Amino acid sequence: MTTPDQPDTAQTEEPANAAPAAARQGLRPASENASRIINSPDNDRRRGALLRGTPKKPEADSEQARTKRPTLKIDRDKVADGAKAGAQKPTSPASPVNLGANQRSIRSLPFVDLYLRLDSEGEARFCPMAKKGLRQGNLLVPKAYRQDLERLRQQIMPIQKDDFSVIHDGMRLRGARRRISNGQTWTALRRVSDDVPSLAELRFNPQLIPHLQGLGKRTGLVIVSGATGHGKTTSCTALLSYFLKTYGHLAYTLEDPVEYQLQGEHGEGGYCFQTEVDKDADWALGLKSALRWHPRYLLVGEIRSPDAANQVLRAATSGHLVLTTMHAGSIEETLNAIIQISELALGNRATQLLADGLVCVLHQTLRSWGPFVRFLFTEPDNPGDPIRACLRDNKVEQLGTYIEQQETIVFGPNAYEQRKKDKQRA
């Protein structure tokens, strides 16, 4: 007796010139056996069962379902007032207010940076996300967003600070307001995610990630440097989040403004207090106050004054791990910059404190494939570390050799060639 998925072997005759079954199974490739089984006229029962068991693709149940959905053409300033008969009108993410039939929420605009004029309504530009198919540049915001732009403008106008953060329809925006030369007032708004990314999600090199994650066991100063908009604060936040989830303890942040939501519990035994600094002069006072909370980790958004640099170096040499950012073009420029600014408050002691407290310097440049990172680590619990000696002697220009040596250790003997390829991939 046979089943629908089993051929009737009793009625199947072997071809006269066929080889023995065992030899045929041992010598024929699997693909050839599969082809013979599927195409064999003696195997109609199995083939029929397979075809009957294959689910059919669901058919479109309406003409509208077969019609291609229209997409927003962000490179044009005009949006059609209506749709052709039978076409589906585009929709935008849910908004707490009714924006009208032809209006859209800013949340649906694929922007990274949004530039909004505050002293007059209706004028706005944006830089699109770096996605395939999206026209790049600084473009006019389509008129379909005009109503929601006015809501956002009215929300920002009462804010007194020039650097601020705002939440609009559940979307977090970091803003900077400036009066420009022709008398107009504009604000630049950057979209910020509430979800803190991991180093892997930021596409850091997998060989470098374990070395960065291990910094959470140390005390001292970690500096992330780079140009504006190249993810310095995001990298610091990702590191701090990992430290809290993995090692626990208490973190305290001073930011202007707050970008990612870190306030609250992280994992088991990790907690973060997140604060904003209103004025540049408040950075040093905020750091003094932060130390009274006895945090294991300190996140300082940026070193902007000699007094703040003084407090950062003192905290880094008194049992805390301090993470901060600086604007600089290289690792050497980063170290020279912090020496120069801290010398205004500490004099010649600045280089000694930096040499004693430095843990790591990262300089990152965002590429289309992820961050291109150069790094310099000091040896833990080793006052005689040659990197620290160069800092004490103010010979920062000699650190290039140690940077290349560490890249070879982390990435292998072809690190230099790989670095050149990474630069060419930009």
Side-chain angles (χ1 to χ4, degrees):
M1 180 177 181
T2 61
T3 60
D5 60 346
Q6 181 180 3
D8 190 351
T9 56
Q11 298 178 2
T12 302
E13 296 181 0
E14 289 287 328
N17 58 348
R24 185 167 64 253
Q25 291 179 358
L27 296 177
R28 291 184 181 274
S31 58
E32 185 177 342
N33 283 335
S35 177
R36 294 181 69 256
I37 291 174
I38 292 175
N39 297 322
S40 172
D42 299 324
N43 205 18
D44 288 340
R45 290 186 180 182
R46 172 176 292 183
R47 183 165 55 183
L50 289 174
L51 293 175
R52 287 193 299 273
T54 304
K56 295 183 179 180
K57 294 184 178 179
E59 296 181 357
D61 50 8
S62 68
E63 180 65 24
Q64 181 180 8
R66 291 191 293 269
T67 304
K68 185 179 180 181
R69 295 183 178 179
T71 56
L72 171 65
K73 296 183 178 180
I74 61 170
D75 57 332
R76 295 184 180 179
D77 189 32
K78 297 182 179 180
V79 177
D81 293 329
K84 294 181 179 180
Q88 181 181 356
K89 291 184 178 180
T91 58
S92 59
S95 176
V97 297
N98 184 9
L99 297 176
N102 296 322
Q103 291 293 303
R104 301 181 182 181
S105 169
I106 299 172
R107 292 173 56 189
S108 67
L109 184 69
F111 73 93
V112 175
D113 293 300
L114 177 68
Y115 303 90
L116 176 64
R117 185 174 175 181
L118 297 178
D119 58 341
S120 177
E121 62 178 282
E123 192 169 354
R125 308 187 69 88
F126 75 106
C127 292
M129 297 177 178
K131 290 185 177 180
K132 187 177 180 180
L134 292 183
R135 177 185 171 188
Q136 298 301 304
N138 190 277
L139 314 175
L140 284 172
V141 176
K143 293 179 180 179
Y145 297 94
R146 180 171 293 177
Q147 187 173 336
D148 202 25
L149 285 172
E150 178 59 19
R151 290 180 55 239
L152 177 59
R153 190 177 75 90
Q154 295 296 334
Q155 185 178 355
I156 294 174
M157 289 295 291
I159 299 176
Q160 299 297 320
K161 295 176 60 179
D162 287 335
D163 296 314
F164 59 90
S165 61
V166 64
I167 298 177
H168 180 76
D169 286 358
M171 175 178 58
R172 181 181 291 274
L173 300 168
R174 183 186 68 185
R177 172 170 37 204
R178 295 294 182 268
R179 185 179 180 87
I180 59 178
S181 60
N182 61 3
Q184 298 176 355
T185 302
W186 287 73
T187 183
L189 300 162
R190 168 156 289 196
R191 189 198 296 257
V192 179
S193 173
D194 281 331
D195 298 327
V196 179
S198 66
L199 295 177
E201 290 170 338
L202 293 176
R203 295 184 291 178
F204 271 74
N205 190 302
Q207 295 169 292
L208 179 60
I209 288 178
H211 297 274
L212 298 178
Q213 292 173 338
L215 298 178
K217 302 176 183 179
R218 299 180 60 177
T219 62
L221 178 61
V222 176
I223 309 173
V224 181
S225 65
T228 302
H230 281 253
K232 302 182 296 296
T233 301
T234 301
S235 296
C236 278
T237 304
L239 281 172
L240 180 60
S241 176
Y242 177 84
F243 296 160
L244 289 173
K245 291 177 182 177
T246 306
Y247 307 116
H249 300 293
L250 177 67
Y252 191 103
T253 77
L254 293 96
E255 303 171 74
D256 182 27
V258 167
E259 296 189 23
Y260 291 90
Q261 188 62 40
L262 288 168
Q263 175 67 39
E265 295 183 356
H266 294 259
E268 296 182 4
Y271 197 91
C272 181
F273 290 103
Q274 201 167 16
T275 66
E276 278 194 358
V277 178
D278 293 331
K279 301 176 182 178
D280 287 353
D282 293 341
W283 284 95
L285 295 175
L287 281 164
K288 287 182 180 179
S289 176
L291 295 179
R292 299 190 184 102
W293 292 65
H294 305 289
R296 173 67 177 84
Y297 306 107
L298 267 171
L299 173 60
V300 181
E302 189 176 349
I303 300 176
R304 297 186 179 179
S305 68
D307 289 337
N310 176 19
Q311 294 299 324
V312 163
L313 291 178
R314 291 185 182 276
T317 53
S318 58
H320 309 275
L321 182 64
V322 184
L323 297 93
T324 190
T325 69
M326 291 196 74
H327 295 280
S330 65
I331 291 176
E332 293 89 344
E333 288 182 16
T334 302
L335 294 171
N336 281 325
I338 194 171
I339 289 173
Q340 290 173 6
I341 193 171
S342 57
E343 279 182 341
L344 298 176
L346 295 168
N348 294 331
R349 295 189 58 219
T351 54
Q352 180 65 45
L353 286 176
L354 179 61
D356 293 343
L358 185 65
V359 170
C360 173
V361 183
L362 301 176
H363 182 272
Q364 68 179 46
T365 305
L366 285 186
R367 307 295 194 197
S368 58
W369 43 266
F372 172 67
V373 181
R374 303 207 70 184
F375 50 87
L376 180 67
F377 297 93
T378 59
E379 297 180 15
D381 305 320
N382 182 10
D385 179 5
I387 295 173
R388 300 186 195 276
C390 286
L391 292 174
R392 292 191 189 98
D393 297 336
N394 208 4
K395 296 180 179 179
V396 176
E397 68 280 356
Q398 297 182 6
L399 293 174
T401 301
Y402 299 102
I403 296 171
E404 293 179 0
Q405 287 178 354
Q406 292 186 6
E407 288 177 343
T408 301
I409 293 173
V410 173
F411 299 136
N414 297 323
Y416 179 73
E417 294 298 327
Q418 183 61 44
R419 188 167 71 249
K420 289 198 300 183
K421 291 181 181 179
D422 288 346
K423 287 183 177 180
Q424 294 171 357
R425 289 168 59 191

